[in-house]
Amino acid sequence: MKKKSLIENFFTIYGNRNNQPVLFFSPGRVNLIGEHTDYNGGFVFPCALNFGTYLAIRKTDDNKLKFHTINFDRNETIDVSSSYISSEKKWVNYPLGVVNEFARNNIRITGLEFLFSGDVPNNAGLSSSASIEMVTAVALNDLFKSGLPLIDLVKMSQRAENKFVGMNCGIMDQFAVGFGKEDHAIFLNCDTLIYEYVPLKLKDHSLIIANTNKKRGLTDSKYNERVAECKKAVELLQPYKKISNLSELNSSEIDLLNKYIEDPVVIRRARHIISENGRTKEAVRVLRKNNIQQFGELMNQSHDSLKNDYEVTGFELDTLVYEARKQPGVAGTRMTGAGFGGCTVSIVEKKYSESFIKKLGKAYSEITGLVADFYLPEIGDGARKMG
Ligand code: GLA
């Protein structure tokens, strides 16, 4: 959304044209490899996108928090308080959960008018939720001069999602959205939070995101089920091996799973985490050497593991991935984000990009009866105040 029309919309909704709102932006993210590893203390490799959530915000003196979103044309008003409870209107819990985090940190938030407008497709695995949380966190930090470091805003946003929204997500999304850097992906160790920016030089290849447009239901509960299964694996292994998370095991220790765990489902879940960590480290190594083909091959393996071992893909995502692999010039393709629907990410030779989109779109529609959307994103910077 253009700055001018966001401000115009703000005045239409809230009036008082003499008092300008302040504008903030926070991107969405795409994860290139390292899926479902974050809440297991593992490695991820996401990057921030050039589309995301815009927020126009203004202080008031009426002790009310007024939320409005252009995308759904919804609004909600909540009294300022020293602590908040989740709203029945789910969309409000993303920013309200962050306001609550500031309150928990004894930062007094007074009356505010919020207007959100986003161009990250919702519920598509591109972190529209983290984008809303982080744009709120960065804005509150700025308006109330709280001086919190970015990493605290990231952790508060993750906590808001865990406690307020009820999704037990890891830290990847909020981190990527907060720390994103133009033309770079972030190699993050989710245990230590040590990270490195890796230049994303794809040369004659482009990144293509394809949205299944499958309506995702029960994603949060299926996601939380995976979190619980991994926790279970750790508990079952602990009598034999001193670990606090699955990422402390390396590929040579995969045999321990069969030895000490009986449930084949729990074995498969843990196997994905261990193999995905290995692939993610290897993917970063080969990318640094500009080996796009090898990077793509690891993306393919990642998808297959998410399908067979972690079971978070589904018919629509698998169709997009396996039809994509039949197209010329495709280095690699996989689902991205939580799964169960949402998007795939592919690396495709530039000269084939157009035909890839056309042919894959056609095949996908014929097989599933759904229409996929395609995006050719640029890799952008993290959450920030707009000039
Ligand atoms: C969602 C969560 C992240 C991460 C991914 C899967 O996006 O919010 O924390 O677990 O799924 O990698």
Side-chain angles (χ1 to χ4, degrees), residues 29 35-36 38-39 167 169-170 172-173 223 337-338:
R29 69 96 189 91
E35 216 67 83
H36 286 276
D38 61 348
Y39 53 85
M167 160 104 168
C169 65
M172 169 172 72
D173 299 351
Y223 182 96

Side-chain angles (χ1 to χ4, degrees), residues 75 99 114 121 164 171 188-189 221 228 248 250 261 280 338 375:
N75 57 67
V99 173
F114 293 80
F164 231 72
I171 201 162
L188 170 67
N189 178 329
S221 64
E248 288 169 30
N250 59 46
I261 302 177
T280 307
Y375 322 102

Side-chain angles (χ1 to χ4, degrees), residues 74-331:
R74 290 188 195 145
N75 57 67
E76 174 77 331
T77 300
I78 289 163
D79 288 336
V80 166
S81 167
S82 55
S83 70
Y84 300 86
I85 49 163
S86 299
S87 164
E88 282 182 1
K89 297 186 181 165
K90 198 176 167 197
W91 68 272
V92 145
N93 287 328
Y94 298 99
L96 188 61
V98 173
V99 173
N100 187 50
E101 282 302 306
F102 275 75
R104 282 186 68 245
N105 281 277
N106 299 320
I107 297 161
R108 215 176 136 253
I109 302 296
T110 50
L112 288 167
E113 290 160 334
F114 293 80
L115 178 62
F116 294 96
S117 168
D119 51 12
V120 192
N122 282 308
N123 218 355
L126 301 178
S127 284
S128 56
S129 322
S131 182
I132 297 174
E133 289 150 7
M134 281 302 294
V135 81
T136 307
V138 168
L140 297 183
N141 199 34
D142 182 273
L143 291 186
F144 293 92
K145 302 196 176 14
S146 13
L148 295 170
L150 186 55
I151 189 65
D152 288 11
L153 303 179
V154 164
K155 289 180 184 168
M156 287 158 76
S157 296
Q158 181 199 7
R159 194 175 184 282
E161 184 142 349
N162 292 166
K163 304 286 173 197
F164 231 72
V165 180
M167 160 104 168
N168 297 329
C169 65
I171 201 162
M172 169 172 72
D173 299 351
Q174 292 79 6
F175 197 99
V177 161
F179 282 82
K181 179 171 166 172
E182 191 176 352
D183 294 333
H184 288 73
I186 309 170
F187 181 40
L188 170 67
N189 178 329
C190 297
D191 191 29
T192 59
L193 298 186
I194 292 172
Y195 67 99
E196 277 172 76
Y197 290 118
V198 181
L200 198 60
K201 289 196 208 111
L202 297 178
K203 293 183 297 179
D204 47 357
H205 287 74
S206 10
L207 210 58
I208 304 186
I209 296 175
N211 189 347
T212 57
N213 281 321
K214 180 202 170 188
K215 291 240 169 324
R216 293 202 292 184
L218 300 175
T219 308
D220 292 8
S221 64
K222 285 188 208 152
Y223 182 96
N224 291 347
E225 188 182 289
R226 294 297 178 278
V227 176
E229 286 162 345
C230 291
K231 200 165 157 240
K232 178 101 202 148
V234 172
E235 280 164 16
L236 291 169
L237 291 167
Q238 271 168 344
Y240 312 100
K241 180 98 189 155
K242 265 198 164 166
I243 54 165
S244 53
N245 65 53
L246 287 173
S247 301
E248 288 169 30
L249 299 173
N250 59 46
S251 329
S252 66
E253 292 170 301
I254 278 189
D255 285 350
L256 294 181
L257 305 178
N258 291 317
K259 200 165 163 197
Y260 298 124
I261 302 177
E262 270 178 27
D263 185 341
V265 172
V266 177
I267 294 178
R268 288 206 301 277
R269 304 298 188 250
R271 191 165 61 198
H272 165 75
I273 302 305
I274 299 172
S275 66
E276 184 76 352
N277 273 325
R279 279 186 291 274
T280 307
K281 280 191 277 186
E282 180 62 5
V284 173
R285 194 183 69 81
V286 298
L287 185 68
R288 288 189 202 276
K289 294 187 163 172
N290 292 322
N291 192 339
I292 309 283
Q293 289 308 320
Q294 192 54 37
F295 187 85
E297 181 46 41
L298 290 158
M299 289 173 75
N300 289 342
Q301 290 172 17
S302 166
H303 184 88
D304 296 344
S305 175
L306 287 157
K307 173 178 186 291
N308 301 321
D309 277 351
Y310 219 62
E311 296 178 278
V312 290
T313 60
F315 175 59
E316 292 80 3
L317 280 171
D318 290 335
T319 303
L320 269 184
V321 161
Y322 296 120
E323 288 303 312
R325 286 185 195 167
K326 294 179 189 163
Q327 305 299 326
V330 177

